Amino acid sequence: MEQAPLVLVEEDDGILIVTLNRPEKYNAINIAMMRTFSDAVDRLRDTPELKIMLIRSTGKYFSAGADLKESRNERPKTGSGIREMHRRMPSDMRRIWDEMEAIEKPFVVAHQGPCVGGGLEMSLSCDFRLASTNARYAFPEGKFAILPATNGVSRLTRMVGASWARYLVMANMEVDAEEARMMGLVHKVFPAETFDEQVMAFCRHLARQNSEQMGTAKIAIELARDLGAHQAASVERLANSALMLMPDYSKIHDAHVSNIGKGTKGG
């Protein structure tokens, strides 16, 4: 009997859907899965017709993290060796997560169930994180007396702040979907019964947005987060000056203004 692919990739009206498909192993991410995942990220980047990527999973778990059986190889015996191992890990996770942040298209991740360890680190590089009421979040690395070292500390702290990062990493505590939404880890929580439908509705909404606006916004928001107020304001002016010179702006703006007196609200 032929084994099903570990990662399913399909297109749906401008949406590239990537599905982790190893439910019997709780979608633990191995090197073979990362190769397919990396190819999908490149495909999104290089295909103009593809507007967004949706990452989801089959089974009860979104992902139990990295496959620990593949990490049993002999580890370096020095601190510098371990640091280099993390920087250039065989699965290429760090490079791929960085590429997801750099690509000027939105990445959406849908957590239908628990998302921990490497699965959560990958999710931190996505632009939008949607959760089912069945979702749970944790970094189990603390059980092994180590830290989540594929950006689990750095990106998490920038996203939710030092206080909640301490709760998840230092105290090794799990949070549910509503707690994750409250701390800013996820954007929206949907009922488990309607989760798939509402995730797709959100993705279809994103696919209808202007690609240049979304790509420019992704860069501007990233820059503004790390700049002072006056410098951040300069970034938004610079970004908007480029967008407003594009034909799309004049066309849409003029059509909107012409309809204001016909019952359309101004903006």
Side-chain angles (χ1 to χ4, degrees):
M1 184 176 180
E2 187 176 351
Q3 184 179 5
L6 298 179
V7 178
L8 307 173
V9 182
E10 60 184 303
E11 296 182 19
D12 184 344
D13 197 20
I15 304 168
L16 185 63
I17 303 174
V18 178
T19 306
L20 307 183
N21 188 42
R22 201 186 181 200
E24 72 283 359
K25 298 293 184 180
Y26 303 107
N27 292 311
I29 302 170
N30 62 19
I31 292 174
M33 294 170 74
M34 287 306 303
R35 291 194 188 102
T36 305
F37 191 91
S38 178
D39 289 343
V41 170
D42 291 346
R43 179 171 164 185
L44 176 75
R45 181 196 60 212
D46 298 336
T47 309
E49 294 76 20
L50 293 174
K51 304 299 184 183
I52 69 171
M53 179 185 283
L54 168 62
I55 305 165
R56 63 187 185 183
S57 295
T58 58
K60 294 183 178 180
Y61 264 67
F62 173 78
S63 176
D67 189 337
L68 296 181
K69 288 186 177 181
E70 290 190 341
S71 63
R72 288 180 177 177
N73 298 330
E74 185 175 352
R75 288 183 286 273
K77 303 300 183 183
T78 64
S80 61
I82 292 172
R83 290 191 292 274
E84 185 66 9
M85 176 192 72
H86 282 307
R87 191 177 74 85
R88 301 175 61 193
M89 56 197 314
S91 65
D92 219 13
M93 283 183 176
R94 183 179 295 275
R95 182 195 65 79
I96 296 168
W97 304 165
D98 289 347
E99 183 70 0
M100 290 164 60
E101 289 193 327
I103 292 172
E104 295 178 34
K105 294 181 180 182
F107 288 79
V108 180
V109 63
H111 303 133
Q112 88 287 7
C115 174
V116 303
L120 181 49
E121 287 179 305
M122 177 266 286
S123 299
L124 294 175
S125 288
C126 292
D127 299 287
F128 301 99
R129 289 164 297 281
L130 307 177
S132 159
T133 47
N134 291 333
R136 300 288 185 275
Y137 300 91
F139 279 117
E141 287 84 349
K143 297 176 181 178
F144 309 109
I146 60 173
L147 302 179
T150 311
N151 301 321
V153 173
S154 54
R155 283 193 174 103
L156 178 74
T157 302
R158 294 174 65 170
M159 184 174 296
V160 305
S163 179
W164 283 114
R166 289 189 183 98
Y167 190 79
L168 282 164
V169 177
M170 187 176 175
N172 193 25
M173 294 295 292
E174 179 184 89
V175 298
D176 63 25
E178 282 298 337
E179 289 172 317
R181 186 189 63 81
M182 178 267 295
M183 69 173 66
L185 185 59
V186 302
H187 292 88
K188 198 79 174 177
V189 178
F190 296 123
E193 298 76 17
T194 59
F195 183 63
D196 291 340
E197 292 83 356
Q198 290 183 277
V199 165
M200 286 306 300
F202 177 77
C203 290
R204 296 191 194 287
H205 168 80
L206 274 185
R208 291 193 297 269
Q209 305 310 301
N210 182 275
S211 297
E212 288 295 329
Q213 185 272 347
M214 286 197 297
T216 304
K218 183 168 180 174
I219 295 175
I221 291 167
E222 185 72 13
L223 290 171
R225 178 180 61 178
D226 297 326
L227 295 173
H230 293 295
Q231 293 169 311
S234 295
V235 168
E236 66 187 20
R237 289 197 300 271
L238 183 64
N240 230 25
S241 67
L243 290 173
M244 293 180 74
L245 289 173
M246 297 186 66
D248 280 353
Y249 169 73
S250 297
K251 179 180 177 181
I252 298 170
H253 176 269
D254 292 348
H256 180 75
V257 170
S258 67
N259 286 324
I260 289 178
K262 302 175 183 179
T264 303
K265 295 182 179 179

